[in-house]
Structures are given as C-alpha cells and as structure tokens.
Amino acid sequence: MTDQPISGVDLELVDVTKSYPGQERPAVDGLTLHVPAGEIVMFIGPSGCGKTTSLKMINRLIEPTSGTITIGGDDVRKQKVDELRRHIGYVIQGGSLFPHMTVAQNIALVPKLLKWDDKRVEARVDELLDLVNLDPGRYRDRYPRELSGGQQQRVGVARGLASDPPVVLMDEPFGAVDPITRSRLQDELMSIQSELRKTIVCVTHDIDEAVKLGDRICILQEGAQVAQYDTPEHVLAAPANRFVEDFVGAGSGLKQLTLTRVDDIELRSWPTASVGEPVAEVLARAGQAGESSVIVLDQRRRPRAWCWVRDLEGQDRVPPPAGDEVLGVDRRATLNDALDDMLSSSYGAAVVTGRRDEFLGVVDFASVTRHIQETAQQVEASAGSGPDGTERT
Ligand SMILES: Nc1ncnc2c1ncn2[C@@H]1O[C@H](COP(=O)(O)OP(=O)(O)OP(=O)(O)O)[C@@H](O)[C@H]1O
Ligand SMILES: [Mg+2]
C-alpha cells in the first residue's frame, strides 16, 4: 500500500477450536488462518458464526479449547494475560469509553499501565488525537458524554493504538455511526494504517466496508468455517461458492466502484479562497479558471465551504465560514463515497482531501462516469475470455 515500514507482526491461528459449555457444536471449529504482518484482514459472516469468539481468543478474552495462536511467532498461551493484552489494541463498537474519565485519561490507560512517564503519556495522547483528527486542545479534557458518536469512536480507535501495539483487533468498530461519519472513519483508519502498517483484524457486517478496508477478506460460515480467504478483487470477481456469492450479493459489478479509490482517478484543480483574503484576488482567480464557484480554505488549508462567486461580490475580504465542519472526501475514499458526496452538494464535484484534511483538488461527474465506462468495458472483455473469465485482478 505504501513504502512505510511495517510495524505489525504475523498472526497465525492453527486449528483453533472453541466449544462453549452446554453448546452442541463448537462456536469456532478448527479455524486455521495466517494474517501477514502489516495487513488488514476483514472478518465477515452471518450473525453467530463465531467472529467475535475468534477475535477474543487472540487476546485471550476467551481461552481456546484447543489449537494454537501465535503473534510474531510467540504462542499467546505462554504469555501473561495482562502483558499480552497491553500489546494488542482492542477497539469495539461505540468506543466503549469509561464515562467518568476524560478523553485523555481514556487514551492514557494502557500507556500508564506500561508505566510511561507523564510527559511521554501526555505527548502520546495529543499525537493520537491529532492522528484521529480531533483537535487536542479542544477535546483532551472532555468527557465521553460531551462527544458525538463518531467522535467517541475516534477516541476508541486512539485508545486502541495508544501503546503502539503491533496487532489491533476491531469488532464492528464503525457499526454504530451514521453512513457519512462511517465513511470518514474508514478513510481515517486507512490513512492511519498507511502510516503505521499494523496487523489488523476487523469484524464487519458490511461487505462494502470489507471490500474498502481489507487487504484480504475472510468470509466465515457457521463454526467459523472459512468459505473464502482472499483479496477483495478476487472475492468479488470469483466467489468461491454459492455461499460467498449470496453474501457478496448482486451487483458485484457496481461494487467494483467500491474497489476504486478517488486516488486512482485524476483530480482536477479548482479555484480556492483563503479566509481573510481580498475578494478582488479571488474573483480574478475564479475568472481565470472560468468557474463560478470557489472552495474556501482555512489557515490549515482545509476545505470549509463552497462559495458562489456572486455571493462574494461587494465584500472586501473572504469571510470565515459558519460552523467548524471540514468538507469533502479523503483521497482514499471510494468512488462510491465520492458519488454520494457529489450528489449531496449542488456543485457537481466532490472536494478531495489528503493528510490532515488538506485540500488536494476535486473529482467531477465526468471523470467518475469515464471511469465507470472503462471498468464496464474491461469487465466485458474479461467475461468474454473463456468459460472461467474470472481472472481479472
Ligand atoms: N459466552 C458464551 N456462552 C455460550 N455460547 C456463546 C457464548 N458466546 C457466544 N456463544 C455462541 O457462540 C456462537 C458464536 O458467537 P459469536 O459471538 O462469536 O458470533 P459472531 O459471529 O460474533 O456474531 P455477531 O455477528 O452476531 O456478533 C453463537 O452461536 C453464540 O450463541
Ligand atoms: Mg460478534
């Protein structure tokens, strides 16, 4: 994905079984799986198929009945449970923050257990808040109830990463937030992952999320039987059996849109305006570009608002936008996300942001349409290439 060094380690499950007392069949029945260092593997499968149980055996919140789990070659059973858990990040739905602790205290939990000195803990908290796009100055001392659901989830992710663990387990981390916040959180996770390259196992119920985030997808059937373990491209193009086919669902052609990143198509430039800048300069710039709208950027070059040129006329300087929202989709967002964004704005283009939400450019309808047509042609061409025309990766 990037050239950043891998900080994750290999994770290996060999013939792992969990039988709960009083249950006829094992919840997890002989699961064998290798998660390569630095990759994100998405677990997906019907309710009750054993996803959470499998995850919790990795950090020994549940003890396996039999089988072996190794992290970086070390058998998890040979380590002290507390010690083990401090080196495995764990993020669950809603963030599960302690309500009586501030954001900073929540994030600092594990580093404090690891006896980091106060200075280092403090610096780490701010660094992580920055990483998950929460301004440390504003959010450090808030209590969870003073945060939105999406913000709580961000803090949950920050807490999971606090001790810089090589392995992070996530159980439906973004399940409880609205679709737009969800897609932002997914983008943030991908951006964090491209910097940190951890080994991540993430449970989801959403095939689009699995396709978007996963280096590989592990589709599980009852008893955590692996129906297919493969790259998203392969799962979509060549489902291993009927079960996977049904799970992936109809319209996997359109799902290819979920496989394409905004990054994969060319961005267009667009005239911008900085808050406080003389309007005359902005008007000149928009005129040169032949556009009737501009994108207003704040001091950190984050896009804050679309603005029609005619609404600026007669003013001296560009006024600060209302609210504190940042516009746009991350460059790692999918074309699906970008289309959503375009459809909800009346400007016919989606603003694209990079690191720390910095403005990069826009994608417009024309470029997305062009891409859909090209993809359709490729799919057609490969479908005509023989009985098993599935070799398109
Ligand atoms: N503590 C427990 N005692 C007995 N049975 C359990 C226990 N925890 C889970 N099970 C059973 O084990 C099976 C797997 O449960 P698990 O929670 O791992 O499923 P899951 O795939 O995470 O489901 P979901 O998608 O609904 O979260 C289910 O049949 C469940 O009823
Ligand atoms: Mg579960």
Side-chain angles (χ1 to χ4, degrees):
M1 192 146 69
T2 62
D3 300 332
Q4 294 293 322
I6 294 175
S7 71
V9 295
D10 273 41
L11 170 64
E12 190 113 43
L13 286 77
V14 180
D15 205 14
V16 174
T17 293
K18 175 67 192 182
S19 304
Y20 288 110
Q23 299 271 316
E24 208 175 304
R25 294 160 78 188
V28 174
D29 195 359
L31 176 62
T32 295
L33 194 75
H34 171 224
V35 182
E39 291 203 356
I40 302 188
V41 168
M42 302 298 290
F43 277 12
I44 188 165
S47 185
C49 74
K51 303 179 294 293
T52 297
T53 304
S54 300
L55 212 62
K56 285 183 168 173
M57 287 194 286
I58 297 171
N59 62 5
R60 291 179 62 193
L61 281 170
I62 293 175
E63 294 290 350
T65 311
S66 63
T68 310
I69 299 174
T70 57
I71 293 178
D74 296 328
D75 191 329
V76 296
R77 271 171 316 189
K78 304 228 165 82
Q79 298 167 54
K80 283 206 192 115
V81 165
D82 290 347
E83 192 63 24
L84 176 75
R85 283 192 206 138
R86 279 167 208 170
H87 295 98
I88 300 178
Y90 189 49
V91 181
I92 64 175
Q93 197 172 97
S96 73
L97 306 176
F98 292 107
H100 58 284
M101 290 183 178
T102 63
V103 164
Q105 289 165 337
N106 266 286
I107 297 175
L109 273 174
V110 177
K112 287 219 157 130
L113 286 173
L114 290 171
K115 304 212 164 25
W116 291 15
D117 68 60
D118 290 350
K119 270 242 151 59
R120 185 172 170 209
V121 172
E122 217 171 284
R124 182 67 180 155
V125 166
D126 286 0
E127 182 189 17
L128 284 161
L129 283 172
D130 216 30
L131 195 67
V132 297
N133 261 322
L134 290 173
D135 179 4
R138 275 181 70 185
Y139 293 101
R140 201 192 289 120
D141 298 320
R142 289 207 194 173
Y143 286 89
R145 63 169 184 279
E146 299 167 322
L147 302 177
S148 72
Q151 290 167 340
Q152 290 182 26
Q153 192 63 69
R154 286 191 168 94
V155 176
V157 170
R159 191 175 64 181
L161 294 169
S163 68
D164 203 16
V167 173
V168 181
L169 311 175
M170 306 182 126
D171 200 342
E172 301 192 45
F174 312 137
V177 293
D178 65 89
I180 294 182
T181 307
R182 189 184 177 103
S183 116
R184 278 200 90 91
L185 289 172
Q186 291 167 346
D187 297 339
E188 265 155 36
L189 179 65
M190 293 185 67
S191 135
I192 291 169
Q193 174 66 353
S194 71
E195 272 177 53
L196 305 182
R197 307 276 318 268
K198 307 239 167 244
T199 305
I200 299 178
V201 182
C202 179
V203 174
T204 181
H205 263 119
D206 174 1
I207 183 73
D208 287 332
E209 180 164 273
V211 168
K212 177 174 175 182
L213 296 180
D215 293 302
R216 293 163 203 250
I217 301 177
C218 184
I219 298 159
L220 295 168
Q221 274 170 283
E222 209 192 317
Q225 299 295 300
V226 177
Q228 187 166 7
Y229 182 40
D230 216 330
T231 60
E233 288 82 355
H234 275 127
V235 169
L236 290 182
N241 51 40
R242 268 303 293 275
F243 178 82
V244 177
E245 228 165 77
D246 288 347
F247 214 86
V248 169
S252 65
L254 260 189
K255 287 210 171 69
Q256 299 282 348
L257 271 187
T258 313
L259 273 174
T260 312
R261 310 284 163 198
V262 167
D263 236 3
D264 297 336
I265 63 178
E266 211 174 315
L267 297 187
R268 285 190 51 195
S269 61
W270 199 275
T272 59
S274 307
V275 172
E277 187 186 14
V279 163
E281 285 173 25
V282 177
L283 296 183
R285 200 178 300 137
Q288 257 168 6
E291 299 294 350
S292 49
S293 61
V294 295
I295 297 164
V296 180
L297 307 183
D298 64 15
Q299 282 84 348
R300 291 168 64 180
R301 290 196 53 79
R302 297 178 301 187
R304 298 289 300 281
W306 284 96
C307 184
W308 294 111
V309 167
R310 60 168 183 268
D311 292 336
L312 284 175
E313 279 163 6
Q315 300 192 60
D316 185 28
R317 290 181 180 269
V318 178
D324 58 2
E325 228 162 284
V326 177
L327 284 189
V329 296
D330 188 89
R331 66 190 182 82
R332 288 181 193 78
T334 66
L335 283 195
N336 247 345
D337 299 334
L339 265 178
D340 269 357
D341 197 82
M342 270 177 229
L343 291 170
S344 64
S345 94
S346 49
Y347 298 85
V351 178
V352 181
T353 55
R355 263 177 77 96
R356 312 272 187 259
D357 286 338
E358 219 177 283
F359 175 74
L360 291 179
V362 305
V363 279
D364 57 10
F365 268 121
S367 45
V368 175
T369 316
R370 214 176 310 121
H371 181 85
I372 294 174
Q373 282 163 351
E374 283 167 10
T375 310
Q377 280 162 5
Q378 280 166 18
V379 169
E380 233 162 75
S382 74
S385 70
D388 120 66
T390 48
E391 286 293 304
R392 50 174 204 274
T393 51

